[in-house]
Amino acid sequence: MVEESEERSLDFVRQIVADDLAKGKFRQSVTRFPPHPNGYLHIGHAKSICLNFGIAQDTGGVCHLRFDDTNPVAEDPHFVDSMQEDIRWLGFDWGEHLYYASDYYEQLYEHACTLIRKGDAFICDLSSEEIAERRGTLTEPGEASPFRDRPADESLDLFERMRAGEFEPGARVLRARIDMGSSVLPMRDPILYRILDTPHHRTGNTWPIYPMYDFAHSLSDAIEHITHSICTLEFQDRRPLYDWVLERVGIPEPRPRQYEFAELSLSRTILSKRFLGQLVGEGAVAGWDDPRMPTLSGMRRRGFTPESIRAFCDGVGVARRDNTIQLERLHFEVREHLNQVAPRAMGVLRPLKLVVENYPEDREEELPAVNNPQDPQAGTRLVPFSRELWIERDDFLEDPPKKFHRLSPGKEVRLRYAYLVTCTEVVKDASGAVVEIRARYDPETRGGDAPDGRKVRGTIHWVSARHAVPAEVRLYEPLFEEEDPMAAAEDGDFMKLLRADSLEVVDPAWLEPSLGEAPIGLRLQLERLGYFSVDPDSTAGRPVLNRTVTLRDSWAKIAKPKASR
RNA sequence: UCCCCGGUCGUCUAACGGCAGGACAACAGACUCUGAAUCUGUGAAUCGUGGUUCGAAUCCACGCCGGGGAUCCA
């Protein structure tokens, strides 16, 4: 039990890093997180961030943050800012190592010229369609461009004129001269540079040509002396090209090496900047930071802690097989953390009036309540009690099943931190709906313990009606019912699968008065209900709460085993 | 179909030729002023077939299943 953490085995990437360090191949590890600034970071990125920055932390290396901004069409400085905020929030620091691929445009251009001079690249005048036609198929080789053997001088001249802005977008491209017959498609004379007339968010209009991913990424890694270039599985077919570029431009050994791991998938969730952007764009959610979104900003707003997300990422491991993590695992981690740190309070979501008949109308008192049973340092607070209370509708049943420990006619329960009360009467309206419960309290049980030692099994939460603070509480369910929405969607139309009930607004819910001025961002537990965070939409005296996650509820499983999932 | 990668409890993930282990989930019980937390326990896996070996989840071969790869995206 003691050495468990010490014996925890390394994932295959960390193993490679450890081996390289042990062999002395590198003095220290240099990794990088290279996002394309075209959306918000999500929990899948968190896995990559934790891996890359985690390796730096674990091995005394460094991790760079590099914006892979080689396609101005989709990029926006707003995303650059949000990404930095999210990474910092997650708890990682790139120090002085903030880079942009666009900072390397001049060097990349020089490297491209080197390739042209060596006969490893050429300017191709074919149109986009013509290039596509000649690419071949998965089973058939491609056909060489008629410009493939263009003299280096001519290509160089054309390339310079491309840079000078002499040609229209699409008129010409720079292509690597590799092998149109390769069974590795990215090696079939891939495009290295294209002409774009879109202004860049950092370089403005200075560059009419932009490097493609394979060229820019490999060389950016080399420029930064990255030792281990870690990416997801879909890039594995491009590794030969990555190596080819570095070798051909003459990057000396030891060169950066690319390693691929399986990206994170989460059940009942989609993780793709593009599709998440579609949810935002079509108004299916309120924004990138909607608490239902798996974005880091959405999760932050929902009440997830950085600690819990890091624990989650560490827990799921790093491997090469496709995987889908169950949402329950994420919920486990956030409960695990919040249980330790979240202050407790009482609040009622579905109010039912409880009148304590023998408690004087004009009387009220303040009862001490423990702030966090997991943390004695958290102390206690005073909660007001009076004759009329709100209790949870679910905590009363006129005709209870066998193991129901809550309120029902004639039964006694404990009002948490207050008194034992016995239900004496059920008041109904004309339609027969229960509108009020009447009960008598035992004055000897102040604080919740009976002097005669009698055991009361049920304890329910409550709020004094007179003192209660109204609040809006937002309850969330996953956006999708399907384990794998993208697989379940016909023609990729996942919008049709969106649940109508992913957001439920409870208004008003009644909270104990200590929550009246709860600061935005506070994470708390409403006892017996779940963990919540105070939303930025809150106004003075009127909190808005997001339910991060419910508490585990073993009664729900007994009561309604089928509906509980 | 051409190339690449991968298949271990329901879900993740270990085991680096030598006892298939852990976590989440599930189930049962104990405890409980949160039906929470905590504690105890139970069930649950090496894709198949051959081969190599004293010994195979691990190495080899063949098969089966799954994923990725043809954008002037990353």
Side-chain angles (χ1 to χ4, degrees):
Chain A
M1 64 195 315
V2 177
E3 48 273 274
E4 192 176 319
S5 62
E6 297 176 48
E7 290 186 2
R8 195 180 161 178
S9 57
L10 298 176
D11 61 66
F12 85 97
V13 178
R14 280 176 222 263
Q15 188 64 57
I16 290 167
V17 174
D19 289 348
D20 285 347
L21 258 17
K23 278 186 304 199
K25 181 173 176 187
F26 303 106
R27 236 179 308 115
Q28 66 170 358
S29 69
V30 185
T31 49
R32 100 270 94 111
F33 176 64
H36 182 47
N38 66 343
Y40 274 61
L41 261 18
H42 56 64
I43 182 75
H45 296 112
K47 176 174 173 178
S48 178
I49 293 166
C50 289
L51 213 212
N52 279 293
F53 282 93
I55 286 171
Q57 285 177 351
D58 297 349
T59 69
V62 298
C63 181
H64 301 179
L65 170 60
R66 180 172 75 231
F67 288 98
D68 209 356
D69 53 354
T70 56
N71 183 6
V73 176
E75 294 156 12
D76 191 308
H78 170 69
F79 296 134
V80 171
D81 296 337
S82 76
M83 286 176 167
Q84 295 191 51
E85 182 187 356
D86 289 345
I87 297 167
R88 275 202 202 91
W89 175 76
L90 241 197
F92 295 104
D93 181 11
W94 51 89
E96 65 207 291
H97 301 290
L98 172 64
Y99 304 109
Y100 295 82
S102 54
D103 287 344
Y104 309 138
Y105 281 175
E106 190 63 47
Q107 289 173 80
L108 298 180
Y109 178 84
E110 291 304 326
H111 284 308
C113 292
T114 302
L115 289 184
I116 295 171
R117 280 188 213 101
K118 290 175 61 183
D120 285 327
F122 62 98
I123 298 296
C124 179
D125 300 355
L126 256 23
S127 70
S128 174
E129 295 73 26
E130 288 168 325
I131 289 175
E133 280 164 19
R134 287 161 212 247
R135 192 151 24 227
T137 67
L138 292 177
T139 52
E140 297 155 334
E143 180 192 333
S145 162
F147 304 97
R148 196 168 198 268
D149 294 318
R150 170 126 76 185
D153 288 350
E154 191 181 320
S155 281
L156 207 51
D157 174 61
L158 253 11
F159 192 47
E160 281 165 12
R161 290 166 59 193
M162 277 168 64
R163 176 183 183 165
E166 288 188 27
F167 310 117
E168 291 300 306
R172 287 178 227 270
V173 290
L174 177 70
R175 288 230 256 170
R177 195 163 178 274
I178 309 178
D179 177 9
M180 286 308 290
S182 176
S183 50
V184 178
L185 278 352
M187 296 295 271
R188 317 239 262 226
D189 290 5
I191 294 168
L192 265 23
Y193 268 89
R194 78 287 213 191
I195 302 171
L196 253 31
D197 57 7
T198 310
H200 188 277
H201 63 103
R202 300 193 82 237
T203 60
N205 291 308
T206 57
W207 289 89
I209 54 172
Y210 292 91
M212 299 290 288
Y213 167 82
D214 296 287
F215 189 71
H217 197 88
S218 52
L219 286 170
S220 298
D221 282 346
I223 290 165
E224 294 177 20
H225 300 290
I226 300 298
T227 56
H228 302 266
S229 180
I230 303 163
C231 61
T232 46
L233 247 27
E234 73 265 29
F235 291 95
Q236 56 184 316
D237 296 283
R238 330 196 70 91
R239 192 170 64 227
L241 180 52
Y242 182 99
D243 292 337
W244 182 92
V245 170
L246 296 186
E247 197 246 300
R248 290 300 163 131
V249 306
I251 302 297
E253 293 278 16
R255 294 195 277 263
R257 288 274 299 270
Q258 173 181 307
Y259 302 93
E260 311 90 17
F261 69 97
E263 65 185 345
L264 174 76
S265 299
L266 250 196
S267 68
R268 291 185 273 171
T269 309
I270 54 173
L271 290 183
S272 145
K273 272 187 288 192
R274 195 175 126 225
F275 294 141
L276 294 176
Q278 197 176 330
L279 292 177
V280 175
E282 297 185 19
V285 295
W288 286 98
D289 70 341
D290 186 298
R292 291 168 292 180
M293 293 282 272
T295 51
L296 294 179
S297 55
M299 293 175 71
R300 171 167 63 232
R301 187 165 174 183
R302 170 110 165 221
F304 282 85
T305 61
E307 291 89 339
S308 64
I309 294 176
R310 279 189 260 125
F312 172 77
C313 291
D314 288 344
V316 299
V318 178
R320 281 179 69 85
R321 81 186 74 159
D322 292 330
N323 62 85
T324 301
I325 312 297
Q326 295 172 328
L327 209 45
E328 288 73 14
R329 187 152 185 169
L330 185 59
H331 292 166
F332 164 80
E333 294 292 355
V334 72
R335 285 190 191 110
E336 180 89 341
H337 183 222
L338 255 16
N339 179 44
Q340 299 304 321
V341 300
R344 272 56 167 175
M346 290 195 286
V348 173
L349 258 31
R350 328 255 180 212
L352 175 61
K353 183 67 73 65
L354 176 74
V355 179
V356 186
E357 294 173 323
N358 58 337
Y359 196 90
E361 200 125 9
D362 57 355
R363 189 168 150 206
E364 56 182 64
E365 61 189 309
E366 293 198 303
L367 300 160
V370 174
N371 284 332
N372 184 349
Q374 306 295 320
D375 177 15
Q377 305 288 324
T380 60
R381 68 190 184 284
L382 293 173
V383 185
F385 183 87
S386 64
R387 175 182 160 95
E388 297 200 359
L389 311 170
W390 292 116
I391 65 167
E392 209 69 55
R393 273 206 115 82
D394 283 354
D395 287 339
F396 175 81
L397 236 37
E398 191 170 14
D399 186 18
K402 227 173 288 117
K403 291 181 184 164
F404 189 77
H405 303 311
R406 283 109 99 143
L407 245 204
S408 51
K411 277 190 64 179
E412 184 174 48
V413 294
R414 174 167 29 244
L415 295 174
R416 180 109 159 122
Y417 298 126
Y419 292 99
L420 300 182
V421 297
T422 303
C423 173
T424 53
E425 191 187 342
V426 182
V427 182
K428 298 178 184 175
D429 65 11
S431 70
V434 176
V435 292
E436 183 179 299
I437 305 298
R438 303 189 72 90
R440 297 183 68 80
Y441 86 113
D442 178 350
E444 301 299 306
T445 60
R446 189 176 199 271
D449 289 308
D452 63 5
R454 70 181 185 273
K455 292 292 177 209
V456 172
R457 186 70 192 272
T459 300
I460 65 175
H461 58 275
W462 53 275
V463 174
S464 165
R466 192 186 302 167
H467 303 89
V469 174
E472 176 181 332
V473 180
R474 300 171 181 170
L475 310 179
Y476 303 104
E477 294 296 333
L479 285 167
F480 301 94
E481 194 67 68
E482 293 72 16
E483 286 291 300
D484 181 353
M486 284 322 290
E490 291 169 42
D491 312 318
D493 187 7
F494 58 89
M495 297 296 289
K496 283 202 199 103
L497 298 177
L498 278 173
R499 289 173 57 155
D501 61 348
S502 58
L503 167 64
E504 181 187 352
V505 177
V506 173
D507 192 3
W510 296 107
L511 307 181
E512 66 169 72
S514 69
L515 259 21
E517 302 299 329
I520 286 164
L522 176 74
R523 303 182 188 96
L524 60 119
Q525 183 195 101
L526 290 183
E527 295 212 31
R528 305 211 303 134
L529 295 177
Y531 295 99
F532 297 78
S533 69
V534 180
D535 193 85
D537 287 348
S538 300
T539 52
R542 197 166 188 293
V544 174
L545 261 39
N546 296 309
R547 186 172 67 193
T548 311
V549 65
T550 61
L551 256 27
R552 286 188 55 175
D553 187 353
S554 50
W555 168 247
K557 288 182 208 166
I558 301 167
K560 35 178 179 174
K562 205 156 287 168
S564 69
R565 46 143 311 195

